[in-house]
Amino acid sequence: MSLIAGSVAVAAIAALSACGGDDVTADTNPTATSTTTSTAAPTTTTAGAKPASATTREEANTALAALGTLPVKGRAPKTGYGQELFGSAWTDDVSVDGGHNGCDTRNDILRRDLTHITVKPGSNNCTVVTGTLNDAYTGTEIAFTRGEGTSTVVQIDHVVALSDAWQKGAQQLDEVTRRNFANDPRNLQAVAGPANQQKSDGDAATWLPSNKAYRCTYVSRQVEVKSAYSLWVTEAERDAIARVLGECGATAPASAPATAPAVAEPTAVASNRPARPQVSPEPAQAPAPAPAPLVAPAPDPAPAPAPAPSGGVYYKNCAAARAADAAPIYAGQPGYSSKLDRDGDGVACE
């Protein structure tokens, strides 16, 4: 994206403030002022680096192993929560990556996640004026223009929401650590404003990106951040993260080694020994099917994960499910219904 040089009016917008509410509203501009110049000042154009959105099976297994180390507890009371407990909005006074570099955290993340950006002259190569976001949450491309009424099109999401962190261990952290948490690039992602607002302070059990290709990376980042800051997960959250990682090929460490020998060893012994003494009678040695029954039981685990949903739970619609703090509902869970699963992917009320 480029800016058109020539005689144009340029609105100079004051510094953007921090996310409001429970990670719902991104950046507003309560003190905006405007000035007019006869000639547009030149801007610097750079290409930003977009975080990878693909998760390999190995990375999914690593995340699953890390998930197993996180404590599992219920939510602590939200009493006393406030964003100010995590420091000034987008402060540069932190010891995480990007701290004390002369640029506020919001613009650090915009420079990282947007491509084809232009930077405001005289801002120490800091303030992003325009750019393009390939949104990881929605899989869409969004044009960004800094200004009152346009900056909120792209918002900075806390991958692990501040409110969620507060209820799962952050109350016990000191102010400096909470400040680092709120400005840690590992926990920040430039995203479409509506997606950020929809997520609010939800965890993996209540909200996942609509872009399914990014879900494994998304939950892996949540595990990484919670592990780094000694936060815990709820049982529902842990199960949801494990389910997503399983869809990316992650397997429980104990199951892979246990299954391999049980199936491979009997098959090898049964087929090799008869073959050596008798070369031609191989067809007659049809007893080879004997190992087949040993392998056949393998599909048994498949029916087990599909328990019938509890008949005692029923939600008239997704609004009712969300009101009960039950969404999203996965196939097999109480309350799941194909009527609530519009795209038929096994996840209702996404």
Side-chain angles (χ1 to χ4, degrees), residues 22-328:
D22 295 328
D23 286 17
V24 175
T25 307
D27 304 286
T28 56
N29 185 24
T31 57
T33 58
S34 63
T35 58
T36 304
T37 58
S38 58
T39 303
T43 57
T44 303
T45 303
T46 61
K50 184 166 67 69
S53 59
T55 300
T56 64
R57 177 173 296 183
E58 182 179 356
E59 291 168 335
N61 276 323
T62 298
L64 185 62
L67 175 64
T69 68
L70 296 180
V72 179
K73 306 179 184 180
R75 286 179 178 269
K78 192 176 177 179
T79 308
Y81 167 72
Q83 287 191 338
E84 67 280 359
L85 296 169
F86 290 81
S88 301
W90 307 133
T91 178
D92 190 37
D93 184 19
V94 289
S95 57
V96 292
D97 286 348
H100 301 287
N101 66 354
C103 185
D104 64 272
T105 304
R106 173 178 163 82
N107 278 294
D108 280 341
I109 301 304
L110 290 176
R111 292 200 322 275
R112 183 195 71 180
D113 293 353
L114 271 61
T115 58
H116 307 296
I117 64 174
T118 59
V119 186
K120 181 180 178 181
S123 66
N124 191 31
N125 199 37
C126 171
T127 306
V128 177
V129 178
T130 61
T132 301
L133 173 67
N134 294 308
D135 181 31
Y137 283 8
T138 63
T140 59
E141 184 176 284
I142 302 170
F144 169 78
T145 300
R146 175 182 168 85
E148 187 173 13
T150 60
S151 288
T152 54
V153 170
V154 172
Q155 300 177 9
I156 308 300
D157 177 50
H158 286 96
V159 178
V160 175
L162 301 185
S163 172
D164 181 67
W166 179 259
Q167 298 172 75
K168 297 173 184 175
Q171 295 184 38
Q172 301 164 17
L173 303 177
D174 57 59
E175 193 276 336
V176 172
T177 304
R178 287 199 296 265
R179 195 192 323 150
N180 283 335
F181 171 85
N183 292 275
D184 193 329
R186 293 176 296 180
N187 192 34
L188 298 172
Q189 180 69 39
V191 299
N196 185 40
Q197 294 172 12
Q198 181 190 55
K199 173 187 173 180
S200 184
D201 62 351
D203 60 20
T206 59
W207 188 89
L208 290 170
S210 60
N211 179 18
K212 296 179 182 179
Y214 190 72
R215 287 181 176 179
C216 282
T217 300
Y218 175 75
V219 297
S220 295
R221 291 178 68 183
Q222 289 190 324
V223 171
E224 178 186 10
V225 170
K226 291 206 167 187
S227 178
Y229 287 90
S230 302
L231 305 179
W232 67 73
V233 292
T234 63
E235 183 176 358
E237 179 184 6
R238 179 202 60 192
D239 293 347
I241 292 175
R243 189 179 301 111
V244 172
L245 293 174
E247 292 170 356
C248 303
T251 55
S255 61
T259 305
V263 176
E265 218 171 307
T267 304
V269 173
S271 59
N272 289 340
R273 289 184 178 177
R276 289 181 182 176
Q278 301 178 359
V279 178
S280 52
E282 275 187 15
Q285 298 269 332
L294 297 178
V295 180
D300 286 345
S310 174
V313 180
Y314 170 76
Y315 299 111
K316 180 179 180 181
N317 49 42
C318 285
R322 294 190 183 98
D325 198 22

Side-chain angles (χ1 to χ4, degrees), residues 303-315 329-338 340:
S310 174
V313 180
Y314 170 76
Y315 299 111
I329 311 172
Y330 293 85
Q333 287 186 325
Y336 173 84
S337 168
S338 58
L340 304 179

